Amino acid sequence: MDNTKKNIYSGDDDDLLMQEIYKYLGEDLEINLKTLMENKKVQFGISSDRQLSQIIGIDRNTIGRILNGEVQKVDILSILKINQFLGIPLNRLIQIYVASMQSGSVAELEAVRKKTFIIENFDLNSLKKIGFIETTTDFDQIEHRICSFFGLESLFQFKQEIGNVLFSRTKNASDDKIREFWVRCAFTQFERINNPNNFEATLVEKFATKIRLHTRQEETGLITVLRALYSLGVTVIVQSYLSKIQIRGATFSVNGKPCIVITDYRKSYDTLWFSLMHELAHVIYDFEDIKSMKYHLTGGIPDLFITEEQEGVADYFARQLLVSDDKLNYILPFIDTPTIVNDYAKKIGVHPALIYGFYCWDQSSRDREIYAKYASYIPKSTQAVRLMKSNPWEKTNLFEQVEYIKAQLQNF
């Protein structure tokens, strides 16, 4: 048998029928359609192909080509007629027939299988929107893009790329697909970065109490903190916010160590720091839970494992370590006097944007215009994330992105 056929279904897959078909594609195949038919002819005492043709109701030349695997497309009625004559399960007949087909025909099946896999697992419209793919119809190009980006030998390895992490699909299938893609991108980066430093939650918690001092340095504060966290065994990357999935941050367990993604949600300086501190709270207090489920996403769909109470603790942790309630309450009467706010922010060792940001958040349910009113006091996050922000899906592959991030984090 042609070796091309033998290797067609080398990718692992949950499709049991395809796995069964592959079992029949080996070089030592003993059972084939022609042999089964010849055995039946002997069993029934059929003396000629003409008689066989008359019994089955298929032209003898056609049936000869079917038995030799020369017919690429067989109508379902012919298959059912042959199945009726042979008296074997229909699935078994299909398996044996596919095994006898020429490699070109099997390749057609494989092409359909790949295309089906792509539309089942990828939200093509969203991937085009974020610049990951250029087309939603050229499936050869899409397959090549996916394999090159993730460094896969086979398209079907995408489902195995992050081991035991499980994904559940809801009715919002397209949202789930792009969310799964986002998670796999992040997880793959963390695996490649492979932080060599030891992690101890107590040391991270101690360092977290000093982080607000670095918020005062708009251009260098964040990168300084991320490098320090890396040395403490916590890897942090910054990625663009995708509005469709609404993930503001995430905490992963990779090789038993915590890894964090923060996004430039709202592209606001105060939100950037709050997101980092929120995820650090999960690292410090919830990492044992996260290790069992591999990752936790902040924003988007509710998490089944991290409770609302735990999210509340993370929010409280972030606020108290950046601008505690008593400090915020003290400065509120002077919130419209920038010089006083700036002087107080300097005194307590925090960027004034954090004070304005928490004030706006607390007032936003009553005043929809509150953020616009204080926007001039809250800088954008552009300078803060300049050295670390990435759009990995715009890269040729994840490896070049990983090498850049590692270089930035290790420059400590």
Side-chain angles (χ1 to χ4, degrees):
M1 180 168 286
D2 190 336
N3 285 336
T4 303
K5 259 189 284 187
K6 182 180 178 182
N7 294 324
I8 285 293
Y9 295 109
S10 57
D12 289 332
D13 187 77
D14 290 334
D15 190 332
L16 297 180
L17 178 57
M18 284 301 183
Q19 290 181 11
E20 284 299 308
I21 289 174
Y22 178 62
K23 287 199 305 184
Y24 294 111
L25 297 183
E27 292 178 343
D28 298 328
L29 183 66
E30 295 179 357
I31 301 175
N32 57 55
L33 200 55
K34 189 172 184 178
T35 300
L36 287 175
M37 192 65 77
E38 291 296 329
N39 290 342
K40 279 294 181 181
K41 285 171 64 179
V42 172
Q43 179 184 341
F44 294 145
I46 298 173
S47 58
S48 67
D49 290 340
R50 182 186 297 274
Q51 187 182 14
L52 176 66
S53 173
Q54 290 175 342
I55 294 171
I56 298 180
I58 302 175
D59 177 79
R60 65 177 181 174
N61 290 328
T62 301
I63 198 170
R65 294 177 61 221
I66 292 174
L67 297 179
N68 290 321
E70 298 172 357
V71 179
Q72 292 187 8
K73 299 179 181 179
V74 182
D75 64 90
I76 187 62
L77 183 58
S78 294
I79 288 290
L80 292 174
K81 287 177 178 179
I82 294 172
N83 175 247
Q84 186 69 28
F85 176 76
L86 292 177
I88 63 175
L90 184 58
N91 277 356
R92 172 77 164 174
L93 174 63
I94 293 172
Q95 292 165 2
I96 296 172
Y97 173 71
V98 172
S100 69
M101 290 169 60
Q102 296 181 352
S103 59
S105 300
V106 179
E108 286 188 36
L109 289 176
E110 177 70 351
V112 174
R113 181 180 176 230
K114 287 181 177 180
K115 292 174 184 177
T116 303
F117 181 88
I118 288 172
I119 62 174
E120 282 180 343
N121 293 282
F122 298 91
D123 179 356
L124 299 184
N125 290 327
S126 293
L127 292 183
K128 184 178 180 182
K129 185 176 181 180
I130 66 175
F132 180 73
I133 56 176
E134 299 177 353
T135 174
T136 60
T137 56
D138 188 336
F139 285 87
D140 287 339
Q141 186 180 121
I142 294 169
E143 178 191 358
H144 181 266
R145 172 64 171 140
I146 293 168
C147 291
S148 297
F149 183 74
F150 286 101
L152 307 177
E153 294 182 3
S154 163
L155 174 68
F156 306 108
Q157 288 178 337
F158 176 78
K159 295 296 288 185
Q160 309 163 0
E161 189 63 9
I162 56 177
N164 295 323
V165 178
L166 300 178
F167 295 89
S168 60
R169 293 277 170 84
T170 65
K171 292 181 180 180
N172 299 317
S174 62
D175 291 355
D176 289 342
K177 290 174 187 177
I178 194 65
R179 186 180 297 107
E180 180 176 340
F181 175 82
W182 188 94
V183 168
R184 290 182 185 276
C185 283
F187 200 98
T188 301
Q189 289 179 81
F190 290 131
E191 281 191 319
R192 301 284 181 177
I193 291 172
N194 193 22
N195 191 333
N197 300 300
N198 294 326
F199 163 69
E200 289 187 30
T202 54
L203 294 180
V204 174
E205 184 174 13
K206 183 177 180 180
F207 175 70
T209 63
K210 305 175 183 178
I211 286 179
R212 74 169 180 271
L213 300 173
H214 296 279
T215 66
R216 294 192 57 79
Q217 306 300 321
E218 288 185 30
E219 295 189 14
T220 61
L222 183 68
I223 188 63
T224 300
V225 168
L226 299 195
R227 287 169 177 168
L229 287 171
Y230 184 78
S231 71
L232 294 173
V234 182
T235 306
V236 183
I237 62 177
V238 184
Q239 290 187 174
S240 295
Y241 176 74
L242 298 184
S243 58
K244 184 167 186 177
I245 55 177
Q246 300 179 343
I247 297 174
R248 298 191 297 273
T251 301
F252 293 77
S253 173
V254 182
N255 298 326
K257 296 177 184 178
C259 300
I260 291 173
V261 180
I262 54 175
T263 69
D264 60 346
Y265 173 62
R266 294 180 57 237
K267 294 181 171 57
S268 178
Y269 189 71
D270 62 312
T271 305
L272 183 73
W273 285 102
F274 179 80
S275 296
L276 174 62
M277 297 300 286
H278 178 100
E279 299 306 324
L280 280 178
H282 287 310
V283 168
I284 295 167
Y285 300 116
D286 305 317
F287 192 57
E288 288 304 311
D289 289 336
I290 292 172
K291 280 199 293 188
S292 66
M293 60 190 181
K294 298 296 185 181
Y295 69 95
H296 161 68
L297 307 179
T298 300
I301 59 174
D303 197 306
L304 296 177
F305 299 95
I306 299 296
T307 65
E308 289 186 16
E309 181 180 358
Q310 287 171 296
E311 289 288 19
V313 169
D315 285 345
Y316 182 79
F317 173 91
R319 286 194 61 144
Q320 298 312 302
L321 287 191
L322 290 171
V323 183
S324 61
D325 290 341
D326 61 325
K327 291 182 173 61
L328 185 61
N329 290 333
Y330 175 84
I331 197 61
L332 287 186
F334 311 100
I335 198 69
D336 290 318
T337 308
T339 54
I340 295 179
V341 174
N342 290 341
D343 288 344
Y344 186 69
K346 183 178 181 179
K347 179 180 178 181
I348 64 174
V350 71
H351 194 287
L354 276 297
I355 294 176
Y356 289 110
F358 287 137
Y359 173 72
C360 289
W361 171 259
D362 292 341
Q363 301 297 316
S364 59
S365 61
R366 294 185 292 271
D367 184 356
R368 294 183 178 181
E369 305 299 323
I370 193 72
Y371 278 104
K373 180 178 179 180
Y374 293 95
S376 61
Y377 304 123
I378 304 176
K380 297 295 183 183
S381 59
T382 308
Q383 288 300 314
V385 301
R386 178 176 53 87
L387 295 176
M388 284 298 295
K389 181 184 172 183
S390 67
N391 296 318
W393 33 86
E394 294 180 355
K395 305 296 183 181
T396 302
N397 58 60
L398 277 177
F399 310 126
E400 58 182 279
Q401 183 66 37
V402 165
E403 291 306 312
Y404 173 79
I405 293 173
K406 285 181 67 174
Q408 293 298 325
L409 292 175
Q410 291 174 350
N411 186 21
F412 184 67

